[in-house]
Amino acid sequence: MNITKRISLVAILVAISFGAVRAQNTATQTVQEGATIAQPICLFVVTGLQFGAILTGSSSGTVHVAATSNSWTETASGAPGPVLYTGSHGGVTPASIASFTVSGEPGLDYTIAYSGPSIITNTSNSSKTMSIAFDAPHSETVNGITPSTTLTGTSSPYTATSTITTDGTDAWVVGGTLSVGANQASGNYTGSFSVTIAYD
Amino acid sequence: MNFKSTLAFAAIAFLGFAAAANAQNTSSANTPEGATIAQPLVLSNCAGLFFGGIITGSQAGLVTITGITNGTGTFNETYAGTPGPVKYLGTHSGITAPSIAEFSVTGEPNMSYTISYPANSYVYLNGNTSSTSMQVTDFNPVASTCCSIAPSGHLSGLSSQTSGSSCSSNGGDAWVIGGSLHVGANQVSGTYTGSFTVVITYN
């Protein structure tokens, strides 16, 4: 092959192979990235656990605020133990079951935890107290918020799990049993208990 | 070699009369030739950049993934914190776990190359580019063993969006790239996905 042809051939080969040469000088990757966002979980206390007005007796006994399928009842152990006051004297905090609503990310599971028994103390005499043992949480509509269908753990009174509904909410109530002493000192008894919910 | 010696050499080499006659009709010379072969530069990406489950708050904030130098694809993840975004602590399935982007390189031993990456990219709700998004910035390569390849020890930052490195004596290199996710106040819930491009070039 003469030199002119040889030069031409080399020139053609260089022109054709320029793209291929560049490809092996560089390399590219498309990298995947992502994240998942969820809303924070929030607990709202709608009503406290209130036993209302009770008449003490010569025997100790109990008063139970208990959840029913869509409401609650209050039952006293009765004479000679405590009975419910049936008069209409004002200024008494009416009885109520503790009720809660939750907001959060639809579909996420969470735990509910509280500890007891808890003590309420006479506001005029701090040496006088009564004890409350809590029931397990119970699914109920609260403030128009429909509960999830997955509330479980009701056999263990103080812990339970549930799921945020597709509306981003949940609701449940907690009842309890108040132990009233024989000839319990009169007065208003108050206290509080802490409930914690957490995504799990 | 000058013309006369070339001629004498040709005369000695070709003893036959036909060959001697050919000497002046032809001429030969040993011409150097050669080439240098180098291995192509190849980039592998064996893990993506995922920020995991995040709980949004009433304030915007960053969630940042940073590689651990000379680790094995390991990383730290930090959160702006309440009232900004915090880590989701639950165990709900279906949430992609956090990971740092991992890369390995093969090429010609001891040859240097640059790494280019963007200033920012976006992840989109449900991967839909018309939907709400979050920005990802501050891509930051860090030397780390990835995809079973060890780093060469020559990675360095050069400028924004560019780092330099070279292949080790056995032709390998490895590094991770982390970044910062910009979570908005009350960011809309859901799975956000996207991608970004990394280019390496011999230099």
Side-chain angles (χ1 to χ4, degrees):
Chain A
M1 185 188 294
N2 68 28
I3 190 158
T4 307
K5 283 188 185 170
R6 189 173 293 144
I7 289 169
S8 306
L9 177 62
V10 169
I12 291 163
L13 288 172
V14 167
I16 291 168
S17 65
F18 183 65
V21 164
R22 280 190 63 203
Q24 283 142 289
N25 276 277
T26 76
T28 302
Q29 283 288 333
T30 301
V31 186
Q32 300 306 304
E33 54 183 358
T36 304
I37 296 294
Q39 298 308 303
I41 197 166
C42 276
L43 175 64
F44 304 92
V45 180
V46 179
T47 53
L49 180 57
Q50 301 291 346
F51 294 85
I54 296 160
L55 304 178
T56 185
S58 56
S59 293
S60 63
T62 58
V63 180
H64 186 197
V65 168
T68 61
S69 61
N70 58 6
S71 185
W72 56 277
T73 60
E74 184 174 22
T75 313
S77 47
V83 298
L84 299 183
Y85 169 69
T86 55
S88 54
H89 183 80
V92 173
T93 303
S96 69
I97 195 166
S99 62
F100 304 85
T101 61
V102 174
S103 70
E105 184 61 35
L108 292 188
D109 295 335
Y110 69 98
T111 56
I112 304 162
Y114 43 95
S115 60
S118 188
I119 299 296
I120 52 174
T121 304
N122 189 308
T123 58
S124 305
N125 183 348
S126 61
S127 68
K128 303 301 182 185
T129 61
M130 291 188 284
S131 173
I132 299 172
F134 299 109
D135 292 342
H138 177 89
S139 279
E140 266 190 48
T141 298
V142 176
N143 272 3
I145 303 289
T146 305
S148 79
T149 56
T150 66
L151 182 65
T152 59
T154 54
S155 62
S156 168
Y158 302 139
T159 62
T161 60
S162 189
T163 309
I164 307 290
T165 68
T166 54
D167 296 331
T169 55
D170 198 5
W172 31 274
V173 297
V174 174
T177 300
L178 175 71
S179 293
V180 182
N183 306 308
Q184 184 72 41
S186 294
N188 291 321
Y189 289 71
T190 60
S192 66
F193 67 106
S194 179
V195 179
T196 301
I197 61 172
Y199 282 133
D200 82 329
Chain B
M1 194 186 284
N2 67 28
F3 179 75
K4 273 192 180 169
S5 341
T6 304
L7 203 57
F9 180 75
I12 291 164
F14 300 103
L15 293 176
F17 68 91
N22 277 340
Q24 282 145 273
N25 279 276
T26 69
S27 177
S28 295
N30 279 326
T31 308
E33 58 182 1
T36 302
I37 297 296
Q39 297 308 303
L41 195 59
V42 177
L43 177 64
S44 298
N45 167 226
C46 58
L49 177 60
F50 289 93
F51 294 87
I54 297 161
I55 309 269
T56 184
S58 58
Q59 196 168 100
L62 298 182
V63 176
T64 299
I65 286 181
T66 308
I68 295 175
T69 304
N70 295 324
T72 53
T74 46
F75 59 95
N76 290 316
E77 187 166 13
T78 58
Y79 302 79
T82 305
V86 298
K87 182 180 174 73
Y88 167 68
L89 297 174
T91 57
H92 186 80
S93 66
I95 296 177
T96 302
S99 74
I100 194 166
E102 297 185 36
F103 301 84
S104 64
V105 174
T106 59
E108 185 60 29
N110 304 311
M111 281 184 73
S112 62
Y113 66 93
T114 56
I115 309 165
S116 299
Y117 37 91
N120 64 357
S121 70
Y122 290 87
V123 288
Y124 298 91
L125 184 60
N126 299 319
N128 180 347
T129 56
S130 315
S131 186
T132 191
S133 63
M134 294 185 284
Q135 191 180 189
V136 183
T137 61
D138 300 311
F139 295 108
N140 49 340
V142 166
S144 184
T145 295
C146 301
C147 324
S148 304
I149 305 275
S152 67
H154 300 138
L155 179 69
S156 66
L158 297 179
S159 62
S160 303
Q161 288 82 62
T162 307
S163 293
S165 192
S166 58
C167 297
S168 66
S169 56
N170 63 18
D173 200 5
W175 26 273
V176 292
I177 293 184
S180 291
L181 176 71
H182 296 235
V183 181
N186 306 309
Q187 185 72 41
V188 171
S189 295
T191 303
Y192 290 72
T193 56
S195 64
F196 64 101
T197 301
V198 175
V199 180
I200 62 174
T201 307
Y202 276 133
N203 67 340

